[in-house]
Amino acid sequence: MKRKTTHFLRLLLCVLLHALATTAIAQTRPVTGRVVDSVGQAMPGVTVVAKGTQVGTQTTADGAFAFNVPESSTTLIFTMIGYKTTEANITAGGMTVRLNANTSALQDVVIVGYGTQRKVTVTGAIATVATKELLQSPVSNLTNALAGRLPGLITTQRSGEPGVDASTLYIRGIATTGTATPLIIVDGVERPIDYVDPNDIATFSILKDAASTAVFGMRGANGVVLVTTKRGNVGPPSVNFTMQGGYQEANKMPKYLNSYDYATLRNEAVRNDNPAASLPFSAEQLEGFKNGTLPNTNYYDFIMQASPQSSANLNISGGAPNVRYYISAGYSRYAGNYKYVKDNPEGNNTNSIQSRYTLRANVDVDVTKTTLVSIDLSGLFAARNAPNTSAATIMNLANRLPPTNPIFNPNGSLFGNGTYTQNIYGEVTNRGYQVYYNSTIQGTFATKQKLDFWVKGLSVRGAMSFDNTFQPVTTYGRNYAVFSPIYNASGQVTGYAQTGADTRIDPNGGLGYGEHRRRTYGEVSINYDRSFGKHAFTGMLMANRQKDVIQSRIPYAKQSLMARATYNYDLRYLFEVSAAYHGSENFPKGQRYGLFPAVSGGWVISEEDFLKGNRAISYLKLRGSYGEVGNDQGGGDRFLWFTSWAGATQYWFGPSASQANGWAQGAIGNPDVTWERGRKANVGIETKLWGELFGLTLDVFHERRSDILSGRNTLSDVFGQSVKQQNIGRVVNKGIDLEFSHEQRFGKFRYMIKPNVTFARNKILDYDEQPRAYPWMRRTGHPVGTKFGLLYDGLFVDQAEITRSAQQRFSGTVFPGDIKYKDLNGDNVVDAFDETVIGYSRTPEFMFGINLQTSWNGIDLTMLFQGADRTDVRLDNEAVYEFFQEGKVKPIHLNRWTPERASIATYPRLHYGKNENNHRASDYWVRSAAYMRLKNMEIGYTLPRAVTTRWKMKSARVYVNGTNLLTWDKLTDFDVDPEVGDGNAAMYPIQRVFNAGVYVTF
């Protein structure tokens, strides 16, 4: 392996040296100049090439270019996406070239499934985000840079712990009761994007409708994320280096009452439950908590702190006429928020730390004028260090342990007893640690052969990739003892009662092999691209196959035959048809393949004579699509068609009555199991007004998902056996997504406003719901994930109201101040028959982003506001219930009901421990989780060219940025992050990041 690596590095070095030497051999002369736009603003990133050659460069941050061209060259060609290609004669001295915006966007290229298309000819619903926007978010996981940036994309983040902080992505919401996350494709192969370095990304797109996802067959129903990485261009080596560092801290930590208020309310709760009970805290203890002589422990403040983060990337790109290359290396380190992580006998670091190295090399070689060979290699080497206890456990302790308990005893030992056996300091520092490794190697070999000598515009392409991921886990565990002081009659400590025992770490540790995954993928395609006057045709026919070997499981395999054909007349009338015949070994023999067709069309109205030259409407296109796509990711059992058998209860058998092993039938298989089917319709409009002054893209979509796998809920118990999931579920999903843009320049000042909105609402049509006694109990007809429970009807004022109200039989006795619920069916009893809709799903129906950008004289400012609405959270246990599992209380509990505060109370009567009447699912515990964040902000300064030239640099930029800087929400009383999941809120906090960096090009 080492020898192969050495040979590979030598090959890359030869490619680099060849690129450097190529331009030095020929007779050349220097050319310099500057590129500006229509208002004189400098234009960085413009490609400049000597006409008739492959010698070129790109403009720097201030629009300047300088390179050597052959003596025979007389003309330069200037190109940039969104601007008209311009040619200019080479002149002595510095040239100034002006590029005009191509408002019709005819030159823009969009990445589609297994190919590219000119943006004007695209008839599907596709959204893209620029790489520079992704780089503005200093996050450890790429998925956390996407919120609010793309219309049609809904994201949720449930943790901020380094290494396990990925956001969940949904394209146009949820349209199934099964798996709803999208397919992710990186450089043409199904791969995760979590740890792709944003510096390596060339394009990032999401495919939203059937026209754009049909070629993915039974994997396209949930939408597709497409990512391509950068490749080299002809020209001298361009070296880019970026380095950044900063710190991260908890965006929000809940606030709990101090020990005095805790003890006061606990006394009250105990007395409420039993007026004759002895109080847990005496007057002397209350005074001690009040004056600070007794403990007042804030567990979050004790265990959490700000932590450092840093990352760097170095990449080199360029190429000779026949060889182009892009080589990149990256490093990042993100530390967790825990304190005291080395306070253990061994001195081991038990903090949560994610360290990552990434390598990438993309090389393209023109073997002949018609043959292209591409080799892509990438590697990920990551290690995640973490305490030998889960973040959920640590956060739950911080939420539950009462402030009246100390962390350390007077003699320095860890406090604990038979009730509180866990100590938060001990869990972080003295339980040992784990290291989660991720070693991933990905390689793709592809070749493309043009067949113009046979049929003009015809080509064939083949590709083969191999990915190998190994994720072992090492564990170095130990335990710790806790001690409870023993007091004499005068209050002095006379000894300690021990719970548990201290152990030491075994230096050999323990090794878990985690997941080992090997993926092979191959494809071969025939492509056609030809224009005849005003008629343009493209076509693709492809066959591919993917095989996954995971651990020792039977290999997973998928294969497909797909086709796509497009036609446009005069770039005005557009038509596309696509289909995939896709198969999976998950399904029974004879039923493994399905056809997934789609058709779409478009009309570029602005190219019609009656609109051409219109100053107001610069570009206007209508498009629509309809098709069927699939989803094969439902069901927890891989082979649902197979009836399972397993060992059962032993029995006595034979004349000697010996015991024999039992054997019994398990769940009965489903011989007709198939994939989910999604029938999608989409209508869209794209327009630009007054050039680039205003822009709008609006899509309206509708999907009907059928054959969703669901358990049989109406099967009679008389049947006497369980059955595997059936394709009986149906869901409808519909909504809109839109993006608006406004851009303006005034001399050197430029600003842009680009908001986007996504609204997606689903409804369950059928999932074999068991019969309900009343219509309000039915889940069918409501969105997936809708919350059900009882309806809050205030607090009981007195015993008389309790007597005349419906009976609530959840606990032995209902007291004044307890929660009163609505008796929906009027039977004078509140029970499960009165449960109804109490809140929205935890996945938002509505998500938005507002991107603001401005620049002036080298200074640039960007701000991204992002938010969500029509989503609710229902908390329970330690998050909101008073004294749950002898836990603590929040400021919300100060507003509890007492006889004196009955008229102003907003929280029920206090109880010690769980109360079955109050502490149950109801809309009292539901809050709107709508929020808006200042998700990202960046201020940068590009150094003047006079400065960078003196320092031998092409360009240099310094910047400061941050993430999750401000949050506005409606959860003041619950005091939790608006993206927390339903439940006890034991979530490692989402991070607020402050960061500074430098980006240099040589």
Side-chain angles (χ1 to χ4, degrees), residues 742-760:
H742 168 57
E743 184 174 358
Q744 184 66 286
R745 297 174 184 266
F746 300 98
K748 294 183 178 181
F749 178 76
R750 168 188 171 273
Y751 72 89
M752 185 192 73
I753 304 171
K754 189 168 70 171
N756 67 80
V757 171
T758 302
F759 175 73

Side-chain angles (χ1 to χ4, degrees), residues 773-924:
Y774 302 98
W776 57 78
M777 299 173 61
R778 288 183 59 79
R779 274 59 173 170
T780 302
H782 296 287
V784 176
T786 296
K787 294 175 176 60
F788 279 77
L790 299 172
L791 295 179
Y792 172 74
D793 196 23
L795 303 176
F796 284 114
V797 175
D798 51 30
Q799 186 60 46
E801 184 180 12
I802 296 174
T803 302
R804 64 174 179 264
S805 299
Q807 299 179 56
Q808 299 181 180
R809 299 173 176 173
F810 308 117
S811 62
T813 305
V814 177
F815 296 96
D818 284 339
I819 294 178
K820 177 182 178 181
Y821 300 106
K822 292 184 179 180
D823 178 18
L824 297 184
N825 62 357
D827 65 353
N828 206 37
V829 175
V830 175
D831 52 22
F833 294 114
D834 299 298
E835 293 183 351
T836 187
V837 174
I838 60 173
Y840 289 112
S841 166
R842 197 62 194 91
T843 302
E845 289 185 345
F846 182 85
M847 182 159 276
F848 67 91
I850 305 173
N851 192 354
L852 307 175
Q853 300 181 19
T854 184
S855 61
W856 174 78
N857 208 31
I859 302 172
D860 58 89
L861 168 67
T862 64
M863 300 174 70
L864 174 66
F865 291 90
Q866 175 266 326
D869 201 355
R870 301 186 73 84
T871 177
D872 290 329
V873 61
R874 184 178 75 84
L875 297 181
D876 57 27
N877 298 351
E878 292 89 351
V880 285
Y881 297 164
E882 76 277 14
F883 307 112
F884 182 81
Q885 292 187 352
E886 303 194 23
K888 52 195 176 195
V889 283
K890 288 182 172 181
I892 187 177
H893 299 114
L894 292 173
N895 299 320
R896 80 285 186 195
W897 183 96
T898 65
E900 299 77 22
R901 304 182 70 260
S903 61
I904 60 173
T906 57
Y907 191 87
R909 173 194 186 102
L910 297 180
H911 296 276
Y912 188 65
K914 186 172 182 179
N915 179 269
E916 293 297 332
N917 183 82
N918 297 342
H919 300 162
R920 63 177 44 254
S922 76
D923 60 341
Y924 179 82

Side-chain angles (χ1 to χ4, degrees), residues 656-713:
S656 61
S658 61
Q659 199 172 34
N661 292 325
W663 191 250
Q665 185 185 61
I668 297 175
N670 174 12
D672 299 317
V673 65
T674 185
W675 48 85
E676 297 178 9
R677 288 175 166 82
R679 294 174 174 84
K680 296 188 176 188
N682 188 93
V683 176
I685 181 173
E686 301 173 20
T687 185
K688 291 184 181 296
L689 306 176
W690 291 283
E692 298 287 326
L693 188 62
F694 298 103
L696 174 69
T697 299
L698 170 66
D699 282 275
V700 180
F701 60 89
H702 183 283
E703 177 183 1
R704 191 179 184 90
R705 190 78 65 92
S706 61
D707 291 336
I708 300 171
L709 287 169
S710 176
R712 277 291 183 184
N713 299 307

Side-chain angles (χ1 to χ4, degrees), residues 203-332:
T203 65
F204 190 106
S205 308
I206 60 172
L207 314 184
K208 301 182 284 188
D209 67 338
S212 57
T213 63
V215 291
F216 297 98
M218 64 178 67
R219 299 300 310 280
N222 295 331
V224 180
V225 175
L226 285 185
V227 176
T228 64
T229 57
K230 293 177 180 178
R231 313 199 72 83
N233 295 308
V234 174
S238 176
V239 180
N240 302 287
F241 176 71
T242 182
M243 181 174 63
Q244 58 185 354
Y247 72 93
Q248 53 187 1
E249 63 183 13
N251 182 56
K252 190 169 191 177
M253 292 188 292
K255 295 179 177 63
Y256 288 94
L257 296 181
N258 59 36
S259 57
Y260 173 78
D261 288 332
Y262 168 87
T264 301
L265 295 187
R266 181 171 166 180
N267 280 351
E268 181 181 316
V270 169
R271 188 59 57 84
N272 285 343
D273 291 337
N274 182 3
S278 59
L279 297 179
F281 297 104
S282 66
E284 291 78 10
Q285 288 176 304
L286 291 176
E287 182 60 28
F289 293 134
K290 191 173 185 179
N291 62 33
T293 58
L294 291 179
N296 180 29
T297 306
N298 185 316
Y299 291 88
Y300 276 105
D301 284 352
F302 173 80
I303 207 67
M304 304 290 281
Q305 65 179 352
S307 57
Q309 68 169 48
S310 59
S311 65
N313 177 272
L314 174 68
N315 62 74
I316 306 172
S317 63
N322 297 328
V323 180
R324 296 161 300 282
Y325 57 89
Y326 174 84
I327 304 171
S328 170
Y331 168 75
S332 62

